[in-house]
Amino acid sequence: MNERTLSIIKPDGVRKGLIGEVIRRYEQEGLKIVAMKMVHLNKAEAKGFYAVHRGKPFFESLTVFMSSGPSVVMVLEGEKAIERHRQIMGATDPQQADEGTIRRMYADTIEQNIVHGSDSTETAAFEIPYFFSSSEIVG
Ligand code: IDP
Ligand code: MG
């Protein structure tokens, strides 16, 4: 099934100069970029995006981190794009992530793990319009 998923290169990925690396990986893997922009989330926007995690012990720290600098947000499109992107990203904790995944290669901690990816069609349906209107998505 052709799907769309939301990717975020988180503030740590931007600070480490990994925008190009991550985008190159998506292009190599055949995930088509159909929308892209830079954003600097404020705290309220970070809380809204991660509302599903409200109440968890890491929520406060996560939203401070996500609002600590600019991010790159993208919509990726392709066959099984949600699952394929999750595989390319690797597990949430970089120490648990498979060899060759973005998080294993570049992430320092379970919190500062370089990339975000929608985990289901339902999540993608919330996350994509959180950043993009339909006219900002090409194709
Ligand atoms: P995911 O990004 O792999 O889907 P989620 O469980 O949805 O992982 O968590 C969202 C984000 O919250 C993670 O990417 C990471 O930045 C942060 N996070 C998740 N679990 C922890 C934790 O145990 N400690 C600190 N931060 C965490
Ligand atoms: Mg998640």
Side-chain angles (χ1 to χ4, degrees):
M1 193 176 74
N2 208 44
E3 291 175 334
R4 286 176 174 174
T5 189
L6 187 84
S7 159
I8 305 178
I9 305 175
K10 297 181 180 185
D12 59 330
V14 173
R15 278 194 285 271
K16 287 178 161 181
L18 294 170
I19 297 172
E21 286 300 316
V22 173
I23 289 176
R24 186 175 59 85
R25 184 71 180 271
Y26 293 160
E27 291 182 328
Q28 274 178 347
E29 302 270 0
L31 288 169
K32 188 175 168 194
I33 299 164
V34 295
M36 175 160 59
K37 62 178 143 190
M38 282 195 95
V39 296
H40 187 152
L41 294 177
N42 63 33
K43 189 79 182 305
E45 290 165 338
K47 284 180 168 177
F49 180 74
Y50 275 126
V52 65
H53 294 303
R54 190 177 289 273
K56 293 189 183 158
F58 58 83
F59 183 70
E60 173 62 22
S61 174
L62 172 63
T63 54
V64 168
F65 161 57
M66 288 300 290
S67 56
S68 68
S71 297
V72 175
V73 289
M74 286 172 265
V75 180
L76 308 177
E77 190 177 79
E79 189 73 19
K80 293 193 172 159
I82 295 170
E83 184 191 329
R84 281 170 55 214
H85 181 226
R86 295 286 302 190
Q87 281 169 0
I88 293 164
M89 288 162 55
T92 309
D93 181 351
Q95 295 193 11
Q96 309 291 324
D98 289 341
E99 206 66 54
T101 60
I102 291 170
R103 285 167 164 173
R104 176 65 171 261
M105 290 171 77
Y106 302 119
D108 291 328
T109 66
I110 191 170
E111 178 182 88
Q112 307 214 1
N113 58 5
I114 309 287
V115 279
H116 167 84
S118 310
D119 65 3
S120 66
T121 49
E122 293 74 26
T123 329
F126 167 75
E127 292 179 350
I128 292 171
Y130 199 81
F131 290 105
F132 296 100
S133 65
S134 55
S135 66
E136 292 175 305
I137 304 173
V138 302

